[in-house]
Amino acid sequence: MYELFGWGNPRGTYFKQPGDFTYCVSYQNAELIRVPLKIYPSLQANAPIEITNVVFANYSNSGQVLNDYTSALPGGVQFLTPKLTLSTKHVGIITVNITFNSWAGTTKKHSCDIFVNGSGEYECIGYGNADGSCYKDGGDWTATFDGAFITTKSVNIVIGIPDDSEKFDELFTISSSTEDGESKRGAFFAKFGRIFKKSSSVLPHYQAGTSYSVQDDNTSSGSWWTRLDNMVRGFGNWYDGIYNTLTGSVATLFLGGGLLYLIVLVISTFIQDGIGMGILSLVLSCIVGYIGFYVIAVIILIIGLALWIFRWVVWNIYTLLTFLIIAGWIMFA
C-alpha cells in the first residue's frame, strides 16, 4: 500500500461545495484507476457566527497606524477598519458586509472576505480614503455587520470629538457625502480607533441612539422626519458634552461677579468714607459674602437642574415636540 501526496489548501476551500466527484490516478497519460469521491457538508462550514465585540483603528493609506484600537477616533479619519471578536465553531472563508451610517444620514457600504477558524479576533479590510473626507460628517456613526451565518450586529462609533473651536453650523449641517471610499486590501489596510464612550464629570451623560435605513452609497437615508429626528438627537448628544461646562461657567459668573462687586464696594468705601467705614464695610461684606455663597449655590443648583432637564427635552424629536406642546398649553391655557 502506498500513500500519494495530498492536494488542496490550508483553508479548506479547494472543494468549495459538497457533492459527488471522481478521483482519477494516472501515470504517463495512462489512467490507472478511477473511483468515486463524495464530499459531505461540513458542520463547521455552516456553524453560526456571533459578533461579541467590535473595535476600530485608524490607518493611513501607506499602512501607518494613526490611531490604534485603544484610542479615540479624531476628525479626518482616513481608513476605518473593524476588528471583530467572534464566538463560533465556523471554519472557512466568510463575506462580511459592513454598512457605516452617520448621524447626518450619510451611508458607506463595503464588504470583505476573512478566513475564520473558530472563535477569536479577526481584522476586516479598511474602508475610507487618503484625504480623510470619507467620514467628514464626524460625530456619531453606526456600523452594522451582517452576512451568511453571521448574526447581525450594530455598534455606535464616535468620529472626531469636536472641541470648543469648532463652529456649531459646521458640526450640525446635514449634508450627503460626495466622496467615494476606497476599499484597501492587503497586509496593511487602514485601521481606525475604538468604540468611544465619554466619561461623565458632574452630571451623568446620556447619548441618544440614531437609526437609519440603508441606502446606496453617498445618499441621504430616511425620510425628512427621520433626518429631522436624527438632527435633534445629534444636537442633544453635542449638548450632552457641554452642559457641565455651561453649569461651571454660570457658577463662575455668579461667584466671580459677586466677589468682584464686594471688593469694589469695600475699596470705594475706604476711599470715600475713611478707614472706619471701610473696616465696617469689609466686615459686612464678609457676612454678606458668606450668606450669598449659599444663596448662589442654590441658584446654580437650580440652573444646573434646568440644563440637565433640557438634555432630555432634546433627546429626540418626540421629546422636543412633547415639551413644546406642554409649554404651549401652560402658556395659553
Side-chain angles (χ1 to χ4, degrees):
M1 180 179 293
Y2 297 92
E3 184 178 275
L4 302 178
F5 286 107
W7 182 258
N9 60 44
R11 295 187 174 187
T13 58
Y14 185 73
F15 295 97
K16 295 184 178 180
Q17 300 294 335
D20 295 318
F21 299 85
T22 299
Y23 184 78
C24 180
V25 179
S26 61
Y27 177 73
Q28 293 183 352
N29 297 325
E31 185 175 305
L32 301 179
I33 191 172
R34 179 185 294 262
V35 295
L37 174 64
K38 187 174 183 65
I39 304 296
Y40 291 92
S42 170
L43 296 178
Q44 290 179 316
N46 296 282
I49 300 173
E50 179 185 2
I51 302 175
T52 58
N53 190 40
V54 185
V55 290
F56 299 85
N58 179 9
Y59 271 47
S60 69
N61 190 39
S62 61
Q64 179 184 2
V65 180
L66 302 178
N67 303 94
D68 60 22
Y69 292 112
T70 62
S71 302
L73 292 172
V77 162
Q78 294 185 24
F79 290 91
L80 184 61
T81 296
K83 181 167 70 172
L84 310 179
T85 301
L86 305 182
S87 176
T88 182
K89 296 181 179 179
H90 192 99
V91 176
I93 295 178
I94 63 170
T95 298
V96 182
N97 302 313
I98 307 173
T99 303
F100 297 105
N101 289 310
S102 77
W103 65 270
T106 302
T107 298
K108 307 287 184 180
K109 297 189 296 184
H110 84 117
S111 61
C112 66
D113 294 335
I114 58 176
F115 174 67
V116 175
N117 186 15
S119 299
E121 294 184 338
Y122 299 90
E123 292 179 329
C124 294
I125 295 172
Y127 185 83
N129 53 30
D131 62 7
S133 60
C134 187
Y135 304 94
K136 67 177 183 179
D137 290 341
D140 293 328
W141 285 70
T142 301
T144 303
F145 303 84
D146 58 28
F149 313 111
I150 301 174
T151 302
T152 301
K153 174 80 169 180
S154 295
V155 296
N156 294 325
I157 319 166
V158 177
I159 298 179
I161 306 301
D163 55 31
D164 294 337
S165 64
E166 234 179 314
K167 295 180 181 179
F168 177 85
D169 57 350
E170 292 177 352
L171 183 60
F172 293 101
T173 298
I174 294 181
S175 61
S176 59
S177 177
T178 57
E179 295 81 2
D180 291 330
E182 302 170 3
S183 182
K184 294 295 180 182
R185 300 176 182 270
F188 60 85
F189 29 61
K191 312 187 176 190
F192 305 51
R194 65 185 171 98
I195 302 173
F196 185 81
K197 182 179 180 182
K198 293 185 294 181
S199 59
S200 62
S201 50
V202 180
L203 295 176
H205 289 258
Y206 302 93
Q207 293 289 307
T210 54
S211 59
Y212 310 89
S213 58
V214 177
Q215 304 284 332
D216 292 334
D217 287 355
N218 303 320
T219 61
S220 298
S221 62
S223 64
W224 65 269
W225 179 259
T226 301
R227 292 171 59 82
L228 182 61
D229 180 44
N230 287 333
M231 189 171 185
V232 173
R233 291 170 184 254
F235 171 77
N237 289 339
W238 170 81
Y239 175 77
D240 176 72
I242 68 165
Y243 69 78
N244 278 330
T245 303
L246 290 177
T247 305
S249 299
V250 171
T252 301
L253 179 63
F254 274 85
L255 294 174
L259 180 61
L260 180 62
Y261 172 77
L262 292 177
I263 292 175
V264 172
L265 179 63
V266 170
I267 293 176
S268 62
T269 302
F270 267 104
I271 296 175
Q272 296 178 3
D273 300 326
I275 296 178
M277 291 300 296
I279 295 175
L280 178 61
S281 175
L282 177 60
V283 173
L284 293 176
S285 294
C286 291
I287 297 174
V288 171
Y290 181 79
I291 298 174
F293 173 81
Y294 291 98
V295 173
I296 292 176
V298 173
I299 295 174
I300 293 172
L301 179 63
I302 295 173
I303 294 176
L305 181 62
L307 294 175
W308 180 75
I309 292 175
F310 181 71
R311 171 66 190 102
W312 295 100
V313 171
V314 291
W315 180 259
N316 56 35
I317 188 63
Y318 302 101
T319 56
L320 179 60
L321 288 178
T322 301
F323 171 77
L324 294 176
I325 291 172
I326 295 175
W329 180 80
I330 293 175
M331 292 176 62
F332 301 106

